[in-house]
Amino acid sequence: IERLAREAGAGLTHRPILVGGVFNAVNGSVYEQRAHPVPAKLRYHAKDLQDWARLYGLRIGWPSVFPVNSVKVMRGALVAEEQGRQVAFARAAFEAYWGEDRDVSQDAEIAALAERVGLDPAATLARIAAPEIKAALRANTDELIERGGFGSPTIFVDGADMYFGNDRLPLVPAWWQGDAEGGALAGGGLHGEAAAEGLHHLARDGEAEAGALTGGLVVKKGSKIREATSSLMPGPVSLTSSTTWPASSS
């Protein structure tokens, strides 16, 4: 989605959510599917995850702690946003969890992530306990539910046109290209291979209790304004974008 935004000349804003809260409120079927998986589908899911990882040049394994409690690390993404490091922090967290099998629910791991992206570890840990940070994460999650979201990543175009899953990203430029009243974005290489970039765009089903990143995409072309909000989840395709931690496709 970052590459898509660049090629469209769009601004991109990410907002963390808690996908577990979304599941509890509107998508309890996720838990039923985990309790009673379909073996053939489960096998294909594992293959599909590796197919997406190979496509994007990512290393994705199955974490030993799954699902993971990502409340603190999602708050950490909000803290990182205050210092202009949110995307770097989120990417580092996804890589640590899905690629390095690190338990990102632990304070020591969050501190290491903060240091990795140039944030003060002690200050970050202190800030994630602030009431306003906790409230912001709850508000983001509630907003996604109110707007009809049920997992992560979720993308909103023009405020209300919703798309779910990293594999739906090619439909976003198709929406722009289909606008015949001026302000359409045609050509320019907005194809499927350019629609997603990075580990946090890989969570497709969002079947985990961790956090997700939701993003806002604003494109101004002529007198037209296009606004998209995407929920990008950390976790594997079984992360949604979007949000214990899956790693494929508020």
Side-chain angles (χ1 to χ4, degrees), residues 12-191:
L12 182 62
T13 302
H14 297 282
R15 288 184 291 166
I17 66 168
L18 282 173
V19 79
V22 176
F23 292 160
N24 291 339
V26 297
N27 194 6
S29 64
V30 168
Y31 303 121
E32 178 65 22
Q33 292 168 9
R34 288 186 195 159
H36 304 285
V38 176
K41 184 177 180 180
L42 200 61
R43 289 192 297 272
Y44 180 78
H45 169 274
K47 172 191 179 296
D48 191 50
L49 177 61
Q50 293 308 315
D51 287 344
W52 282 105
R54 185 165 53 253
L55 176 65
Y56 292 123
L58 301 171
R59 179 170 55 117
I60 301 177
W62 197 259
S64 54
V65 177
F66 180 87
V68 68
N69 185 332
S70 65
V71 173
K72 288 185 177 180
V73 78
M74 286 294 95
R75 292 177 189 162
L78 286 169
V79 174
E81 180 184 16
E82 295 178 332
Q83 300 185 49
R85 303 297 296 160
Q86 187 185 67
V87 173
F89 181 88
R91 189 183 301 275
F94 301 154
E95 290 173 348
Y97 183 65
W98 292 102
E100 302 167 15
D101 192 19
R102 306 190 73 83
D103 183 357
V104 295
S105 69
Q106 301 301 308
D107 286 358
E109 295 294 347
I110 296 172
L113 292 172
E115 185 172 22
R116 187 187 302 188
V117 300
L119 301 177
D120 181 89
T124 298
L125 289 176
R127 181 65 177 149
I128 64 176
E132 58 270 27
I133 293 295
K134 295 179 180 180
L137 185 58
R138 286 195 299 269
N140 285 350
T141 304
D142 290 344
E143 180 184 352
L144 174 60
I145 295 168
E146 291 169 2
R147 297 176 73 180
F150 50 86
S152 174
T154 302
I155 304 162
F156 291 97
V157 178
D158 204 23
D161 190 17
M162 189 175 83
Y163 300 85
F164 174 73
N166 77 297
D167 52 350
R168 299 318 198 268
L169 280 172
L171 297 178
V172 174
W175 186 92
W176 292 327
Q177 292 164 359
D179 182 357
E181 297 182 13
L185 298 181
L190 293 178
H191 305 300

